[in-house]
Amino acid sequence: MSQKIIIVGAGPAGLFAALELTKDADHPEVTIIEQGPSLESRPRTETMIGVGGSGTFSDGKLHFTPVLSHEKLFDLYSLEEYQTFLDYSEKLFLDYGVTAPNTPENLAEADEIVEQCHQQGIKLYIRRCRHVGSDMLPGVVKNMVDELEKRGVKFICQTKIDQIVAKYKKIISIKSGNQNFTADSFLIAPGRIGAIWFQNQAKILGLNYKYQEVEIGVRVEFPATVMEKHSKIMHENIYSIQTPTFGDTVRTFCPCPNGFVAIENYQDFLCVNGHSNTNTFSSNSNFNFTVPVTLTEPTGNTSVYAANIAKLTNLLGDNKPLLQRLGDLKSGHRSTWEKINNNLFKPTLTNVTPGDISLALPHRLVTDIIEGLDILNRVLPGINSDSTLLYAPEVKLRGNRVTINRQLQTEIPNLFVAGDGVGASGNIVGAAISGIMAARGMII
Ligand SMILES: Cc1cc2nc3c(=O)[nH]c(=O)nc-3n(C[C@H](O)[C@H](O)[C@H](O)COP(=O)(O)OP(=O)(O)OC[C@H]3O[C@@H](n4cnc5c(N)ncnc54)[C@H](O)[C@@H]3O)c2cc1C
């Protein structure tokens, strides 16, 4: 009888695990359980749940250089080993329809900008990146799902797993209400939306885990011309700044040139994110501007801390993200629709409440954001203008990391984990790779 495997979560981690598990003819029997809808019935506004996970309508920047957000597994794999997984996953992305070119194409031009940034006290990271675009990514996900279905993988959608049941250090089943699912091995890949759920399950199962860093801040929107010179050379540019007052690091992430600000719905709170297309553009650009936060005693629980900040921000915004002009934040005034309507440029996300971000985010983080934008203005003139728009909360929850080995196997031998929700990755490619690693460990 063939081995039976259940994967929870149909994001990049779950899908790539399934592709790896079924690549040979005599593959195990694989079922994917997903709390959200199938790809066809998934509304465009559902950014976090459904087949494809939060990858489906994302900006689709695929990073193939092992710096920054791939660092989650660097304690288990060397850079060289990790690069082989990056190369392997890149080939799969190409096989399933990614045609976007690599950037930066001209490394000398990119190096010149890096040098200019360094001269201004800013560290600029460059990662090799293919930008698929939110309009093209669902097609790539569809190609993967079609192939998996052809191989006999079963998708069970609209089914939220609420309990992982163990007996004598073995997972017996997983449960959704009174539905019971059994298998030989289980892969839990719940993404950021399932991070706190998995943390609670890990506690019940008696798994050891470490709290991870979270990132908290705002999404910054500005006229596309402000970053155009840099983003024409490299789609993915990450500026890192040390702030004078607190000595914190504040970083840009996920730049979306000519893009749109989007809502990230975590079900019990809302955050913001960004995306951009390959074929349709806005006249604004945006990026995430966040501060990494770790906590120690008496609580290290960064996920719950970040979720509470997001909830407080939602409270002030009446269940919508807050929007504030930078000039209003600096002068201590809330923004209003009148001020936003008279702003130099219009916001791309309007399902928001104009307000005062300084009432929601801790003083330290607000100071970091204001100082960081002031410094960034040295290389992106115009970013620090009063009309720059700030959306909050932008929170990057990371799942807390349970103890795992190189195959992402937990202390319970038939329980494997992958993706952002378990602290094994921080982006699409990282999640995909962690799924592949787990899959290789699961095949008996
Ligand atoms: C708007 C937006 C833009 C982004 N842009 C980029 C980008 O350009 N580049 C990049 O690399 N990353 C980007 N990201 C982040 C990227 O999408 C994630 O890093 C990646 O999708 C993580 O993959 P994952 O498989 O770990 O989790 P996810 O993609 O989040 O998938 C997890 C899945 O598990 C399901 N699930 C969770 N709990 C349960 C449960 N209990 N029962 C059943 N199902 C469950 C969820 O519904 C979800 O579908 C973006 C994200 C968003 C929201």
Side-chain angles (χ1 to χ4, degrees), residues 8-14 33-36 47-50 52-55 58-61 63 159-161 189-194 197 254 262 264 273-274 419-421 425-428 431:
V8 176
I33 301 179
E34 166 57 49
Q35 66 178 338
T47 49
M48 301 292 284
I49 65 168
S54 44
S58 78
D59 194 41
K61 281 184 287 292
H63 317 283
T159 304
K160 184 176 193 302
I161 297 301
R192 293 174 200 165
I193 200 164
W197 166 73
C254 186
E264 230 183 28
N273 206 311
D420 290 11
S425 62
N427 60 32
I428 296 172

Side-chain angles (χ1 to χ4, degrees), residues 8-71:
V8 176
L15 293 180
F16 275 75
L19 286 171
E20 187 68 13
L21 284 167
T22 56
K23 72 178 181 359
D24 297 325
D26 59 339
H27 60 73
E29 187 185 321
V30 178
T31 301
I32 303 183
I33 301 179
E34 166 57 49
Q35 66 178 338
S38 66
L39 192 59
E40 297 72 41
S41 48
R42 189 172 167 176
R44 179 68 187 81
T45 45
E46 193 60 88
T47 49
M48 301 292 284
I49 65 168
V51 170
S54 44
T56 299
F57 300 127
S58 78
D59 194 41
K61 281 184 287 292
L62 305 178
H63 317 283
F64 297 105
T65 312
V67 288
L68 290 171
S69 40
H70 297 107
E71 72 216 9

